Amino acid sequence: MGQAGRWRGGGGRWSWRRGQVAAPAAAAAAALLVRPGLLPDMPGRPGSLVEAFLPWLGLSVPLLAAWAVLRRSRSALCAAALPALAWTAAFGAFLLPRAEQPADLRAVQHNVADDNTDPAGTARALARTGADLIAVEELTPEAAPVFTTALRADYPHHAAAGTVALWSRYPLADPRPVDIRPAGAGAGWNRGLRATARTPHGDIAVHVAHLPSVRLGPLRGFDAARRDESAVLLGRALAAEPLDRVVLLGDLNATVDDRGLAPVVRRTGRPARDFAFSWPAALPAARIDHVLARGAEVTRIRTLAPTGSDHLPVVADIRF
């Protein structure tokens, strides 16, 4: 018999029995997309790692579909629909077009990198957004005067604490450091700042923060203990903030889906439904740079072209 005969004979025939191993994998991917918290905290923090790259679980759909075609498995093909539906429910709205809404405030957040070889060009790129607030992290003593010079004309109001800084079109009152140091960090470790921006819409508490980096290794897994500790301290500072309107800008080294950032997100809320992946700049895979707000809504968030940093700048529109 020829090829057609072999197809009819069973070797190439689609079956419900083959490839059934795909069904549990598809169900697991779908469950994690809908409820990533189902993966418990355990040594190595796999739950936090999955949450950091949660949208990428959608890649399970083409992989499962390819497996189904390879195995000629009807059950595997049907199973692939489970994570497809779950991904659509979780992230489908991110792809829908939205009507432009006027912004009451525009803010830029950027980790400018302490090894940035073009701080002046980076500062000019941030200023070209026309933002009202510009927050940066990893600002070195050498780069700070370069930024100040480049931004002075349009952003005459400035506050800094350690390696984080804020420039504003509007007057800044009561600037002060915010202590978010994890255990073991010395007195010189200062990555938190708070100031009151006197805007036409009223006083706004502006917080700038840079949470500790996470580490991924074969022995300790996803090591986020120091970041999580700082997130708790930042959450307490936000909880104690007396102003109703709060804007938080920072490199938080976590996505809003990451359970480690829950103490912060509970005090602010989530931004607009946009992917806007900001790190790493060469191949953005996650948004760890954030503009979050309380008493306001972040209606749009997007990234800019690469600068001299390993992060992309993030621009957010805010409505009160």
Coordinates of all heavy atoms in Angstrom, one line a residue, residues 39-136:
L39 N 1.2 27.6 43.2 CA 2.5 27.1 43.4 C 3.0 27.6 44.7 O 3.3 28.8 44.9 CB 3.4 27.5 42.2 CG 4.7 26.8 42.1 CD1 4.5 25.3 41.8 CD2 5.5 27.4 40.9
P40 N 3.2 26.7 45.7 CA 3.5 27.2 47.0 C 4.9 27.8 47.1 O 5.8 27.4 46.3 CB 3.4 26.0 47.9 CG 3.6 24.8 47.0 CD 3.1 25.3 45.6
D41 N 5.2 28.6 48.1 CA 6.5 29.1 48.5 C 7.3 27.9 49.0 O 6.8 27.1 49.9 CB 6.5 30.2 49.5 CG 6.4 31.5 48.8 OD1 7.0 31.7 47.7 OD2 5.9 32.5 49.4
M42 N 8.5 27.7 48.5 CA 9.3 26.6 49.0 C 10.8 27.0 48.7 O 11.0 28.1 48.1 CB 9.0 25.3 48.3 CG 9.1 25.4 46.8 SD 8.7 23.9 45.9 CE 6.9 23.9 46.2
P43 N 11.7 26.3 49.3 CA 13.1 26.7 49.0 C 13.4 26.8 47.5 O 12.9 26.0 46.7 CB 13.9 25.5 49.6 CG 13.0 25.0 50.7 CD 11.6 25.2 50.2
G44 N 14.1 27.9 47.1 CA 14.3 28.2 45.7 C 13.3 29.1 45.1 O 13.5 29.5 44.0
R45 N 12.2 29.3 45.8 CA 11.1 30.2 45.4 C 10.7 30.0 43.9 O 10.6 31.0 43.1 CB 11.6 31.7 45.5 CG 11.9 32.1 47.0 CD 10.7 32.1 47.8 NE 9.7 33.1 47.3 CZ 9.8 34.4 47.5 NH1 10.7 34.9 48.2 NH2 8.9 35.2 47.0
P46 N 10.3 28.8 43.5 CA 9.8 28.6 42.1 C 8.6 29.4 41.8 O 8.3 29.8 40.7 CB 9.6 27.1 42.0 CG 9.4 26.7 43.5 CD 10.2 27.6 44.3
G47 N 7.7 29.6 42.8 CA 6.5 30.4 42.6 C 6.8 31.8 42.2 O 6.2 32.3 41.2
S48 N 7.7 32.4 42.9 CA 8.1 33.8 42.5 C 8.7 33.9 41.1 O 8.5 34.8 40.4 CB 9.1 34.4 43.6 OG 9.1 35.8 43.6
L49 N 9.5 32.8 40.8 CA 10.2 32.8 39.5 C 9.1 32.7 38.4 O 9.2 33.4 37.4 CB 11.1 31.6 39.4 CG 11.8 31.4 38.1 CD1 12.7 32.6 37.7 CD2 12.7 30.2 38.1
V50 N 8.1 31.8 38.6 CA 7.1 31.7 37.6 C 6.3 33.0 37.4 O 6.0 33.4 36.3 CB 6.1 30.5 37.9 CG1 4.9 30.5 37.1 CG2 6.8 29.2 37.8
E51 N 6.0 33.6 38.5 CA 5.2 34.9 38.5 C 6.0 36.0 37.8 O 5.4 36.9 37.2 CB 4.8 35.3 39.9 CG 3.8 34.4 40.5 CD 3.8 34.4 42.0 OE1 4.7 35.0 42.6 OE2 2.8 33.9 42.6
A52 N 7.3 36.0 37.9 CA 8.1 37.0 37.3 C 8.0 37.0 35.8 O 8.1 38.0 35.1 CB 9.6 36.9 37.7
F53 N 7.8 35.8 35.2 CA 7.7 35.6 33.8 C 6.4 35.0 33.3 O 6.3 34.3 32.4 CB 8.9 34.8 33.2 CG 10.2 35.4 33.6 CD1 10.9 34.9 34.7 CD2 10.7 36.4 32.8 CE1 12.2 35.5 35.0 CE2 12.0 37.0 33.1 CZ 12.7 36.5 34.2
L54 N 5.3 35.3 34.1 CA 4.0 34.7 33.9 C 3.5 34.8 32.5 O 3.0 33.8 32.0 CB 3.0 35.3 34.9 CG 1.7 34.5 35.0 CD1 1.9 33.1 35.5 CD2 0.8 35.3 36.0
P55 N 3.5 35.9 31.8 CA 3.0 35.9 30.4 C 3.6 34.9 29.5 O 3.0 34.5 28.5 CB 3.2 37.4 30.0 CG 3.4 38.2 31.2 CD 4.0 37.2 32.2
W56 N 4.9 34.6 29.8 CA 5.6 33.7 28.9 C 5.1 32.2 29.0 O 5.5 31.4 28.2 CB 7.1 33.8 29.1 CG 7.6 35.1 28.8 CD1 7.9 36.1 29.7 CD2 7.9 35.7 27.5 NE1 8.3 37.3 29.0 CE2 8.3 37.0 27.7 CE3 7.8 35.1 26.2 CZ2 8.7 37.8 26.6 CZ3 8.1 36.0 25.1 CH2 8.6 37.3 25.3
L57 N 4.2 31.9 30.0 CA 3.6 30.6 30.0 C 2.7 30.4 28.8 O 2.4 29.2 28.5 CB 2.8 30.4 31.3 CG 3.5 30.0 32.6 CD1 2.6 29.9 33.7 CD2 4.3 28.7 32.4
G58 N 2.4 31.5 28.1 CA 1.6 31.3 26.9 C 2.4 30.5 25.8 O 1.7 30.0 24.9
L59 N 3.7 30.5 25.9 CA 4.4 29.7 25.0 C 4.1 28.2 25.0 O 4.4 27.4 24.1 CB 5.9 29.9 25.2 CG 6.5 31.3 24.9 CD1 7.9 31.4 25.2 CD2 6.2 31.6 23.4
S60 N 3.5 27.8 26.1 CA 3.1 26.4 26.3 C 2.1 26.0 25.2 O 2.0 24.8 24.8 CB 2.5 26.1 27.6 OG 1.4 26.8 27.9
V61 N 1.3 27.0 24.7 CA 0.2 26.7 23.7 C 0.8 26.2 22.4 O 0.5 25.1 22.0 CB -0.7 27.9 23.5 CG1 -1.7 27.6 22.4 CG2 -1.3 28.3 24.8
P62 N 1.7 26.9 21.8 CA 2.3 26.4 20.5 C 3.1 25.1 20.7 O 3.1 24.3 19.8 CB 3.1 27.5 20.0 CG 3.4 28.4 21.1 CD 2.2 28.3 22.0
L63 N 3.7 25.0 21.9 CA 4.5 23.8 22.1 C 3.6 22.6 22.2 O 3.9 21.5 21.7 CB 5.3 23.9 23.4 CG 6.5 24.9 23.4 CD1 7.1 25.1 24.7 CD2 7.5 24.5 22.3
L64 N 2.5 22.8 23.0 CA 1.5 21.6 23.1 C 0.9 21.3 21.8 O 0.6 20.2 21.4 CB 0.5 22.0 24.1 CG 0.9 22.0 25.6 CD1 -0.1 22.7 26.5 CD2 1.2 20.5 26.0
A65 N 0.6 22.4 21.0 CA -0.1 22.2 19.7 C 0.9 21.4 18.8 O 0.5 20.5 18.0 CB -0.5 23.5 19.1
A66 N 2.2 21.8 18.8 CA 3.2 21.1 18.0 C 3.3 19.6 18.4 O 3.4 18.7 17.5 CB 4.5 21.8 18.1
W67 N 3.3 19.4 19.7 CA 3.3 18.0 20.2 C 2.1 17.2 19.7 O 2.2 16.1 19.3 CB 3.4 18.0 21.7 CG 3.3 16.7 22.4 CD1 2.2 16.2 23.0 CD2 4.3 15.7 22.4 NE1 2.4 14.9 23.5 CE2 3.7 14.6 23.1 CE3 5.6 15.5 21.9 CZ2 4.4 13.4 23.3 CZ3 6.3 14.4 22.1 CH2 5.7 13.3 22.8
A68 N 0.9 17.9 19.7 CA -0.3 17.2 19.3 C -0.2 16.8 17.8 O -0.6 15.7 17.4 CB -1.5 18.1 19.5
V69 N 0.3 17.7 17.0 CA 0.5 17.4 15.6 C 1.5 16.3 15.3 O 1.3 15.4 14.5 CB 0.9 18.7 14.8 CG1 1.2 18.4 13.3 CG2 -0.3 19.7 14.9
L70 N 2.6 16.4 16.1 CA 3.6 15.4 15.9 C 3.1 14.0 16.3 O 3.4 13.0 15.6 CB 4.8 15.7 16.8 CG 6.0 14.8 16.8 CD1 6.7 14.8 15.4 CD2 7.0 15.2 17.8
R71 N 2.3 13.9 17.4 CA 1.8 12.7 17.9 C 0.5 12.3 17.2 O -0.1 11.2 17.5 CB 1.6 12.7 19.4 CG 2.9 12.9 20.1 CD 3.8 11.7 20.1 NE 3.1 10.6 20.9 CZ 3.3 9.3 20.7 NH1 4.2 8.9 19.8 NH2 2.7 8.4 21.4
R72 N -0.1 13.2 16.4 CA -1.4 13.0 15.8 C -2.4 12.7 16.9 O -3.2 11.7 16.8 CB -1.4 11.8 14.8 CG -0.5 12.0 13.6 CD -1.0 13.1 12.7 NE -0.3 13.1 11.4 CZ 0.8 13.8 11.2 NH1 1.3 14.6 12.2 NH2 1.4 13.8 10.0
S73 N -2.4 13.5 18.0 CA -3.2 13.3 19.1 C -4.3 14.3 19.3 O -4.1 15.5 19.4 CB -2.3 13.3 20.4 OG -3.1 13.3 21.6
R74 N -5.5 13.8 19.2 CA -6.7 14.7 19.4 C -6.7 15.2 20.8 O -7.1 16.4 21.1 CB -8.0 14.0 19.0 CG -8.2 13.7 17.5 CD -9.6 13.1 17.3 NE -9.8 12.9 15.9 CZ -9.7 11.7 15.3 NH1 -9.3 10.7 16.0 NH2 -9.9 11.5 14.0
S75 N -6.4 14.3 21.8 CA -6.5 14.7 23.2 C -5.5 15.8 23.5 O -5.8 16.8 24.2 CB -6.3 13.5 24.1 OG -5.0 13.0 23.8
A76 N -4.3 15.7 22.9 CA -3.3 16.8 23.2 C -3.7 18.1 22.5 O -3.4 19.1 23.1 CB -1.9 16.3 22.6
L77 N -4.3 18.0 21.3 CA -4.7 19.2 20.7 C -5.8 19.9 21.5 O -5.8 21.1 21.6 CB -5.2 18.9 19.2 CG -5.4 20.1 18.3 CD1 -4.1 20.8 18.1 CD2 -6.0 19.6 17.0
C78 N -6.7 19.2 22.0 CA -7.8 19.8 22.8 C -7.2 20.3 24.1 O -7.6 21.4 24.6 CB -8.9 18.7 23.1 SG -9.9 18.2 21.7
A79 N -6.2 19.6 24.7 CA -5.6 20.1 25.9 C -4.9 21.4 25.7 O -4.9 22.3 26.6 CB -4.6 19.0 26.4
A80 N -4.4 21.6 24.5 CA -3.7 22.9 24.3 C -4.6 24.1 24.4 O -4.2 25.2 24.6 CB -3.0 22.9 22.9
A81 N -5.9 23.8 24.2 CA -6.9 24.9 24.3 C -7.0 25.5 25.7 O -7.4 26.6 25.9 CB -8.2 24.5 23.8
L82 N -6.7 24.6 26.7 CA -6.8 25.1 28.1 C -5.9 26.2 28.4 O -6.4 27.3 28.9 CB -6.5 23.9 29.1 CG -7.6 22.8 29.1 CD1 -7.1 21.6 30.0 CD2 -8.9 23.3 29.6
P83 N -4.6 26.1 28.2 CA -3.7 27.3 28.5 C -4.0 28.5 27.5 O -3.8 29.6 27.9 CB -2.3 26.8 28.4 CG -2.4 25.5 27.6 CD -3.8 25.0 27.9
A84 N -4.5 28.2 26.3 CA -4.8 29.2 25.4 C -5.9 30.1 26.0 O -5.9 31.3 25.9 CB -5.2 28.7 24.0
L85 N -7.0 29.4 26.5 CA -8.1 30.2 27.1 C -7.6 30.9 28.4 O -8.1 32.0 28.6 CB -9.2 29.2 27.4 CG -10.0 28.6 26.2 CD1 -10.9 27.5 26.6 CD2 -10.7 29.7 25.4
A86 N -6.8 30.3 29.2 CA -6.4 30.9 30.4 C -5.5 32.1 30.1 O -5.6 33.1 30.8 CB -5.6 29.9 31.2
W87 N -4.6 32.0 29.1 CA -3.8 33.1 28.8 C -4.6 34.3 28.2 O -4.4 35.5 28.6 CB -2.7 32.7 27.7 CG -1.7 33.8 27.5 CD1 -0.4 33.8 28.1 CD2 -1.7 34.9 26.6 NE1 0.3 34.9 27.7 CE2 -0.5 35.6 26.8 CE3 -2.7 35.4 25.8 CZ2 -0.2 36.8 26.1 CZ3 -2.4 36.6 25.1 CH2 -1.2 37.3 25.2
T88 N -5.6 34.0 27.4 CA -6.5 35.0 26.9 C -7.2 35.7 28.0 O -7.4 36.9 28.0 CB -7.5 34.4 25.9 OG1 -6.8 33.8 24.8 CG2 -8.4 35.5 25.3
A89 N -7.7 34.9 29.0 CA -8.4 35.5 30.2 C -7.5 36.4 31.0 O -7.9 37.5 31.5 CB -9.0 34.5 31.0
A90 N -6.2 36.0 31.1 CA -5.3 36.8 32.0 C -4.7 38.0 31.3 O -4.5 39.0 31.9 CB -4.2 35.8 32.5
F91 N -4.3 37.8 30.0 CA -3.6 38.8 29.3 C -4.1 39.3 28.0 O -3.6 40.2 27.3 CB -2.1 38.3 29.0 CG -1.4 37.9 30.3 CD1 -1.2 36.6 30.6 CD2 -0.9 38.9 31.1 CE1 -0.5 36.3 31.8 CE2 -0.3 38.6 32.3 CZ 0.0 37.3 32.6
G92 N -5.3 38.7 27.6 CA -5.8 39.1 26.3 C -6.2 40.6 26.2 O -6.0 41.2 25.1
A93 N -6.6 41.2 27.3 CA -7.0 42.6 27.3 C -5.8 43.5 27.0 O -5.9 44.6 26.6 CB -7.6 42.9 28.6
F94 N -4.6 43.0 27.3 CA -3.4 43.8 27.1 C -3.2 44.1 25.6 O -2.5 45.0 25.2 CB -2.1 43.0 27.6 CG -2.0 42.9 29.1 CD1 -3.1 42.7 29.9 CD2 -0.8 43.0 29.7 CE1 -3.0 42.6 31.3 CE2 -0.6 42.9 31.1 CZ -1.8 42.7 31.9
L95 N -3.8 43.2 24.7 CA -3.6 43.4 23.3 C -4.7 44.2 22.6 O -4.6 44.5 21.5 CB -3.5 42.0 22.6 CG -2.4 41.0 23.2 CD1 -2.6 39.7 22.5 CD2 -1.1 41.6 23.0
L96 N -5.7 44.5 23.4 CA -6.9 45.2 22.8 C -6.5 46.7 22.6 O -5.9 47.3 23.5 CB -8.1 45.1 23.7 CG -8.7 43.6 23.8 CD1 -9.8 43.6 24.7 CD2 -9.1 43.1 22.4
P97 N -6.9 47.3 21.5 CA -6.7 48.8 21.4 C -7.6 49.5 22.4 O -8.7 49.1 22.7 CB -7.2 49.1 19.9 CG -8.1 47.9 19.6 CD -7.6 46.7 20.4
R98 N -7.1 50.6 22.9 CA -7.8 51.5 23.8 C -7.8 52.9 23.4 O -6.8 53.4 22.8 CB -7.2 51.4 25.2 CG -7.3 50.0 25.8 CD -6.9 50.1 27.3 NE -5.6 50.6 27.5 CZ -4.5 49.9 27.5 NH1 -4.5 48.6 27.3 NH2 -3.3 50.4 27.7
A99 N -8.9 53.6 23.6 CA -9.0 55.0 23.3 C -8.0 55.8 24.1 O -7.8 55.5 25.3 CB -10.4 55.5 23.5
E100 N -7.4 56.8 23.5 CA -6.5 57.6 24.2 C -7.2 58.5 25.2 O -8.3 59.0 24.9 CB -5.7 58.6 23.2 CG -4.7 57.9 22.4 CD -3.5 57.5 23.2 OE1 -3.2 58.1 24.2 OE2 -2.8 56.5 22.8
Q101 N -6.7 58.6 26.4 CA -7.3 59.4 27.5 C -6.3 60.5 27.9 O -5.1 60.3 27.9 CB -7.6 58.5 28.7 CG -8.5 57.4 28.4 CD -8.8 56.6 29.7 OE1 -9.3 57.1 30.7 NE2 -8.6 55.3 29.7
P102 N -6.8 61.7 28.1 CA -5.9 62.7 28.5 C -5.3 62.4 29.9 O -6.0 61.9 30.7 CB -6.9 64.0 28.5 CG -8.3 63.4 28.7 CD -8.2 62.1 28.0
A103 N -4.1 62.8 30.0 CA -3.4 62.5 31.3 C -3.3 63.8 32.1 O -3.1 64.9 31.6 CB -2.0 62.0 31.0
D104 N -3.5 63.6 33.4 CA -3.4 64.7 34.3 C -1.9 64.9 34.7 O -1.4 66.0 35.1 CB -4.2 64.5 35.6 CG -5.7 64.5 35.3 OD1 -6.1 65.3 34.5 OD2 -6.4 63.7 36.0
L105 N -1.2 63.8 34.6 CA 0.3 63.8 35.0 C 1.0 62.7 34.2 O 0.4 61.6 34.0 CB 0.4 63.5 36.5 CG 1.8 63.7 37.1 CD1 2.0 65.2 37.4 CD2 1.9 63.0 38.5
R106 N 2.2 63.0 33.7 CA 3.0 62.0 33.1 C 4.3 61.8 33.9 O 4.9 62.8 34.3 CB 3.3 62.4 31.6 CG 4.2 61.5 30.9 CD 4.2 61.7 29.4 NE 3.0 61.3 28.8 CZ 2.6 61.6 27.5 NH1 3.5 62.2 26.7 NH2 1.5 61.2 27.1
A107 N 4.6 60.6 34.0 CA 5.8 60.3 34.8 C 6.7 59.3 34.1 O 6.3 58.4 33.3 CB 5.4 59.6 36.2
V108 N 8.0 59.5 34.3 CA 9.0 58.6 33.7 C 9.8 57.9 34.8 O 10.2 58.6 35.7 CB 10.0 59.4 32.7 CG1 11.1 58.5 32.3 CG2 9.2 59.9 31.5
Q109 N 10.1 56.7 34.6 CA 10.9 55.9 35.5 C 12.0 55.2 34.8 O 11.7 54.6 33.7 CB 10.0 54.8 36.2 CG 10.7 53.5 36.6 CD 11.8 53.7 37.5 OE1 11.9 54.6 38.3 NE2 12.8 52.8 37.4
H110 N 13.2 55.3 35.3 CA 14.3 54.7 34.6 C 15.5 54.4 35.5 O 16.0 55.2 36.2 CB 14.8 55.6 33.5 CG 15.8 55.0 32.5 ND1 15.8 53.7 32.2 CD2 16.8 55.5 31.8 CE1 16.8 53.4 31.3 NE2 17.4 54.5 31.1
N111 N 15.9 53.1 35.5 CA 17.2 52.7 36.1 C 18.2 53.0 35.1 O 18.4 52.4 34.0 CB 17.2 51.2 36.4 CG 18.5 50.8 37.1 OD1 19.6 51.3 36.8 ND2 18.4 49.8 38.0
V112 N 19.0 54.1 35.3 CA 20.0 54.6 34.3 C 21.3 53.8 34.2 O 22.1 54.0 33.3 CB 20.2 56.1 34.5 CG1 19.0 56.9 34.4 CG2 20.9 56.3 35.9
A113 N 21.5 52.9 35.2 CA 22.7 52.0 35.2 C 23.9 52.8 35.7 O 24.2 53.8 35.1 CB 22.9 51.3 33.9
D114 N 24.6 52.3 36.6 CA 25.8 53.0 37.2 C 27.0 52.9 36.2 O 28.0 53.6 36.4 CB 26.1 52.4 38.5 CG 26.3 50.9 38.5 OD1 26.4 50.3 37.5 OD2 26.4 50.3 39.6
D115 N 26.9 52.1 35.1 CA 27.9 52.1 34.2 C 27.5 52.7 32.8 O 28.1 52.5 31.8 CB 28.4 50.6 33.9 CG 27.3 49.7 33.4 OD1 26.1 50.2 33.4 OD2 27.5 48.6 33.1
N116 N 26.5 53.6 32.9 CA 26.0 54.3 31.7 C 27.1 55.2 31.2 O 27.6 56.1 31.9 CB 24.8 55.1 32.1 CG 24.0 55.6 30.9 OD1 24.6 56.0 29.9 ND2 22.7 55.6 31.0
T117 N 27.5 55.0 29.9 CA 28.5 55.9 29.3 C 28.0 57.1 28.7 O 28.8 57.9 28.2 CB 29.3 55.1 28.3 OG1 28.4 54.6 27.3 CG2 30.0 53.9 28.9
D118 N 26.7 57.3 28.7 CA 26.1 58.5 28.0 C 25.0 59.1 28.9 O 23.8 59.1 28.5 CB 25.6 58.2 26.6 CG 25.1 59.4 25.9 OD1 25.5 60.6 26.3 OD2 24.2 59.3 25.0
P119 N 25.3 59.6 30.1 CA 24.3 60.1 31.0 C 23.6 61.3 30.4 O 22.4 61.5 30.6 CB 25.0 60.4 32.3 CG 26.5 60.5 31.9 CD 26.7 59.6 30.8
A120 N 24.3 62.2 29.7 CA 23.7 63.4 29.2 C 22.6 63.0 28.1 O 21.5 63.5 28.1 CB 24.7 64.3 28.6
G121 N 23.0 62.0 27.2 CA 22.0 61.5 26.2 C 20.8 60.9 26.8 O 19.7 61.0 26.4
T122 N 21.1 60.1 27.9 CA 20.0 59.5 28.6 C 19.0 60.5 29.2 O 17.8 60.4 29.1 CB 20.5 58.5 29.7 OG1 21.3 57.5 29.1 CG2 19.4 57.9 30.5
A123 N 19.6 61.5 29.8 CA 18.8 62.6 30.4 C 17.9 63.3 29.4 O 16.7 63.6 29.6 CB 19.6 63.6 31.2
R124 N 18.5 63.6 28.2 CA 17.8 64.2 27.2 C 16.7 63.4 26.6 O 15.6 63.9 26.3 CB 18.7 64.6 26.0 CG 19.7 65.8 26.4 CD 20.4 66.3 25.2 NE 21.3 65.3 24.6 CZ 22.6 65.2 24.9 NH1 23.1 66.0 25.8 NH2 23.3 64.3 24.2
A125 N 16.9 62.1 26.5 CA 15.9 61.2 26.1 C 14.7 61.1 27.0 O 13.5 61.1 26.6 CB 16.4 59.7 25.9
L126 N 14.9 61.2 28.3 CA 13.9 61.2 29.3 C 13.1 62.5 29.2 O 11.9 62.6 29.3 CB 14.4 61.0 30.7 CG 15.2 59.7 30.9 CD1 15.6 59.6 32.4 CD2 14.4 58.5 30.5
A127 N 13.8 63.6 29.0 CA 13.1 64.9 29.0 C 12.3 65.1 27.7 O 11.2 65.8 27.8 CB 14.2 66.0 29.0
R128 N 12.6 64.4 26.6 CA 11.8 64.6 25.4 C 10.4 64.0 25.6 O 9.6 64.2 24.7 CB 12.6 63.9 24.3 CG 13.7 64.7 23.7 CD 14.2 64.2 22.3 NE 14.8 62.9 22.4 CZ 16.1 62.6 22.6 NH1 16.9 63.7 22.7 NH2 16.5 61.4 22.6
T129 N 10.2 63.2 26.6 CA 8.8 62.6 26.8 C 7.8 63.7 27.2 O 6.6 63.5 27.1 CB 8.9 61.6 27.9 OG1 9.3 62.2 29.1 CG2 9.8 60.4 27.5
G130 N 8.3 64.9 27.7 CA 7.5 65.9 28.2 C 6.8 65.5 29.5 O 5.8 66.1 29.9
A131 N 7.5 64.6 30.2 CA 6.9 64.2 31.5 C 6.9 65.3 32.5 O 7.7 66.2 32.5 CB 7.7 63.0 32.0
D132 N 6.1 65.1 33.5 CA 6.1 66.1 34.7 C 7.0 65.6 35.8 O 7.6 66.5 36.5 CB 4.7 66.2 35.2 CG 3.7 66.6 34.2 OD1 3.7 67.8 33.8 OD2 2.8 65.8 33.8
L133 N 7.2 64.3 35.9 CA 8.1 63.8 36.9 C 9.1 62.8 36.2 O 8.7 62.0 35.4 CB 7.3 63.0 38.0 CG 6.3 63.8 38.8 CD1 5.5 62.8 39.6 CD2 6.9 64.9 39.6
I134 N 10.4 62.9 36.6 CA 11.4 61.9 36.1 C 12.1 61.4 37.3 O 12.7 62.1 38.1 CB 12.4 62.6 35.2 CG1 11.7 63.1 33.9 CG2 13.5 61.7 34.9 CD1 12.6 63.9 33.0
A135 N 12.0 60.0 37.5 CA 12.7 59.3 38.6 C 13.8 58.4 38.0 O 13.5 57.8 37.0 CB 11.7 58.5 39.4
V136 N 14.9 58.4 38.7 CA 16.0 57.5 38.2 C 16.6 56.8 39.4 O 16.6 57.3 40.5 CB 17.1 58.3 37.4 CG1 16.5 59.1 36.2 CG2 17.8 59.3 38.4

